[in-house]
Every structure is written in structure tokens, then in C-alpha cells.
Amino acid sequence: MIQEFYVENYQSIKGRQGISFVPNRKMSTGSEEYLLIRVSEHVQLLKLGILYGYNASGKSNLLEAMDFLRTLVVDGAEAKDEKTGFEPFLLSPETLEVPGSFQLVFYIDAVKYEYSVSLNGQRILSESLYFTPDVRKARLYTRVYDEDLRVSRLSFGTSCGFKSRDRLLLEGNTLENCTVLSAYRKTNVNSLELDKVFSYFRDHISPIITPRVLLREWSVDRLIQDDRHKDFLLRLLVKADFQISGLDIIEDSFDVTAELLDDLKGKGAPAVLLEDLKQKKTVENRELVFSHTTTQGEYNLPFEKESQGTLRYFGLGGILNEMITSRKFIFIDEIETSLHPDLVSFFMQQFLMNTTGSQLFVTTHNQFLMEQDYIRNDMLWLCEKDEEGQSTYYSVQDFRLHKNVSVMNHYRAGKLGASPQLGSPVLGEGY
């Protein structure tokens, strides 16, 4: 589970910014058994974080920073001449040549880990991984780039369990544009602790979900893998009042004929696609079908006949199923896309009441969520840009509002910031 995430000098983020899932112990809604995750005897973390802010304020950039860190660890560079993909804050000359930094504080099996990395567009400048298996914090490894010799200096703690030969192998595979964890993935050495951490980034933290991601494929894949997910997704759609009584995946295949290729070519299909189809000769096809029961009988409709809201919620169902059946950290940009405000709130409730070890962080413009009695102020985050164009992030709990005060009304009145300052609707002469 994630406790904190910090980033500095990345896209619209200039100074050090971050979010925290540490709950305020003075807050209580009476539903803490659903809102908090007990990590250990003395540590609890929030399940949910919601980020608000006006358009172009930097909401998405915080999620993209988290996704960038995951990609840096899980994938990493394959060749030494690759760029790191880092993008600094561009609206100030002093930040263009300054490295960016990322820090993640998280727990694996009740053990606290702290991972930090600093980099520019060409190389990793520093990197460290610490953990606290008992009372005292211990180093797993540190790494610093030597500017004079143009090499990375690695130092490993005893907890990694590496022999001298293992250290030399890993150091040799750690390219200057590649994280140690990413290099470890490709090296024939073994460390229980590094295995845990790499697996955490790869399996526990999911890639960012944006409005452009076709979520239905997520759910379709799960239906094909295990038919038991069908009952879950159907119950979800029934509870959401989509008037759907059944769903199924119809799989078939068809031959790639000369007539088909000519038809696709005439419709402007790219040459690469045509050549790929020609090589395959046979194409596997799967179609998602929904059943609707009316007073006139039962009718099957293909997915393209369903509304975008139905398909979006069906896709979110696959994500919810994964958060229930395994421990995941999911972050979703603009979760309300194509969904009614009540349906977004209902999804949040289902997540909170049915998961035990997963966390969800979302951006949204749905102010209705602020008023829900299951939402705590320490779950709510705000984002705005200052006059220099840099994004800042802060928690609603910082305002110390009375528990009976309407957060939504304060936000709409502009008392919490993070809302657009709109001009006159009159456009002037000529319009």
C-alpha cells in the first residue's frame, strides 16, 4: 500500500509536491472499517484519494508523474543511447537543466519501503531504496552518478544478499539511463528484497487509466480468463440499473481473402495492417454482446449499440473485480467520463465496501462526491496553478473545516481555491 508520493520538477510541477494516504486520526465518519486499510498494528492508510482542480491546473500531471515512475522501474531503457523520457518544468529557465526527483513511500507485508530517484533526460543521477524491517531503517542500495568518470557508483546493503560476483553483474547491467530495479529484472542474480520491490511496482501499481483507455477490453479479458467474472460483472450492471439481463463473449474466426484485403485497401487501411493480415491468413474475432429483457422479450445487442456510459461502467467493473480479488493501487484520470454523478458515487461506495487491501486515486470534476457522508476531508485534494504556471497540491483538511460545514459549498464559493476564475460571458463587439 502507498503511504506518500512526491515529485519535483516534472511537467507543470516545479517545486516539491505530493499526496499522502496517511489518515487524520482526529477525523471519523463512523465507517472507518471501510475507509481505512490496516497495514500493521500501528499503521493505517486511506483507501481513497480524490483530486479536484480546474482544467489545465495539473491534475493529470500528478497521475502521469506516478505512471512515469512506475514505467521507469518496470520497463526501463533497453539501450544506453535511449532517453529517459523525463520532461522538466518548461516555464522557467532555471528548471530546464535541473533534474527531476520522485519519491514513493509504500508498504509490502507491513514493512515500510522508501524509494527515491533523481534524473534528467539522459541519465539517472541518484537512486536509493531503504526499508524498515524492524525498528531501524536499513539501506538496500544507493546509487550516485560520478560526473567526472561518467559512471554510476552503486553501494548495496547486506539485506540484498548479494555476493561480490552478483554485485559486479548488476552494476555492469545498470546503464546510466536505467534504474537499478529495472537492471535487476534483466540480470541473472537473485535478491528476495529486490524481487519483492520490483514485483510491487509491476503487479501492485497499475498503469494510468485515462479517458482514452478502452476499459471494456479489461473486463472482456477477465471474462475470457475465468467465466466466474461473468456473474460479478452482470450483478454490477444490474445494480447500476442499465436494464441489462445478460452478457456474453462470442468468439469466431474468418479467413483473410483477397476480396477482404481489396475492400480494406479501398477504405484506406495502412499497408502495414494489410501485410500483417495477409501473413496471418486467419483472424480471430471476439464480440461482446449484452442481453436486454423487455415486455416484448429478450434481445441481444452488440457492444457498439450500447451507450458510452454502459461500456465505461462495464470496464470499471473489471477494475473493481481486480481490486477486490487482489491488492492493487489504481489511479484513474477523470473517473466521471460518460457517467452520471450518482453512478460515480455508487462505484466509490462499492470499492470502499468490498475491498480490503486496494487503493484508488482519481481526478474528477464531480463536486457531488464532496457531499457524500462516506468521504472524509483527508481524502479530498485540490490542485491549482500559481502566476508562474506551476501546479500546487493541497488537502481539504488543511482548512480545518468544521465537520458540519459543506465542503462543496465552500469550494463553489471559491473559499478553497482550485476553481477557475472566469471572465465576463460577454464576448464584445463583432461576436
Side-chain angles (χ1 to χ4, degrees), residues 152-295:
S152 293
R153 301 291 188 187
L154 274 69
S155 179
F156 295 95
T158 57
S159 297
C160 278
F162 287 143
K163 298 177 181 178
S164 297
R165 178 179 174 275
D166 295 337
R167 299 184 185 200
L168 288 174
L169 278 174
L170 182 52
E171 189 166 356
N173 281 344
T174 304
L175 305 176
E176 63 180 48
N177 57 354
C178 178
T179 64
V180 174
L181 287 170
S182 183
Y184 172 75
R185 169 179 69 96
K186 309 165 191 174
T187 307
N188 189 25
V189 296
N190 293 293
S191 166
L192 178 61
E193 290 302 331
L194 295 194
D195 277 338
K196 286 181 181 179
V197 174
F198 181 81
S199 297
Y200 178 88
F201 274 91
R202 182 191 60 197
D203 302 329
H204 181 77
I205 305 176
S206 293
I208 184 174
I209 296 172
T210 70
R212 297 181 295 276
V213 175
L214 294 178
L215 292 181
R216 68 172 178 268
E217 293 302 321
W218 191 314
S219 295
V220 167
D221 288 341
R222 296 185 72 78
L223 278 174
I224 293 175
Q225 292 168 10
D226 190 337
D227 194 55
R228 288 177 298 178
H229 298 311
K230 179 178 177 179
D231 292 335
F232 174 86
L233 291 168
L234 183 57
R235 277 187 282 121
L236 202 72
L237 293 172
V238 170
K239 287 178 179 290
D241 195 27
F242 283 113
Q243 297 181 337
I244 291 175
S245 56
L247 56 92
D248 208 348
I249 303 293
I250 299 176
E251 296 185 85
D252 60 8
S253 62
F254 58 88
D255 295 331
V256 178
T257 63
E259 291 78 9
L260 175 63
L261 293 173
D262 288 341
D263 181 55
L264 292 174
K265 184 177 181 180
K267 293 179 179 178
V272 175
L273 174 60
L274 295 174
E275 184 60 32
D276 182 55
L277 290 174
K278 191 175 181 180
Q279 295 296 326
K280 288 182 177 179
K281 297 182 180 180
T282 301
V283 176
E284 301 295 329
N285 180 53
R286 62 187 189 187
E287 184 177 20
L288 174 63
V289 176
F290 293 92
S291 299
H292 294 261
T293 301
T294 71
T295 55

Side-chain angles (χ1 to χ4, degrees), residues 124-140:
I124 309 295
L125 300 174
S126 65
E127 185 182 359
S128 67
L129 178 62
Y130 289 85
F131 76 143
T132 310
D134 41 44
V135 178
R136 186 175 300 177
K137 185 164 79 170
R139 179 186 64 182
L140 284 168

Side-chain angles (χ1 to χ4, degrees), residues 83-98:
K83 301 291 186 181
T84 63
F86 167 70
E87 299 178 16
F89 181 75
L90 298 176
L91 302 182
S92 173
E94 65 188 48
T95 57
L96 297 180
E97 303 301 324
V98 175

Side-chain angles (χ1 to χ4, degrees), residues 324-335:
I324 291 173
T325 57
S326 60
R327 295 188 172 190
K328 290 285 184 179
F329 179 83
I330 303 282
F331 43 111
I332 306 176
D333 194 17
E334 297 186 13
I335 190 173

Side-chain angles (χ1 to χ4, degrees), residues 91-110:
L91 302 182
S92 173
E94 65 188 48
T95 57
L96 297 180
E97 303 301 324
V98 175
S101 62
F102 302 79
Q103 181 184 21
L104 188 71
V105 181
F106 56 99
Y107 283 84
I108 303 175
D109 298 330

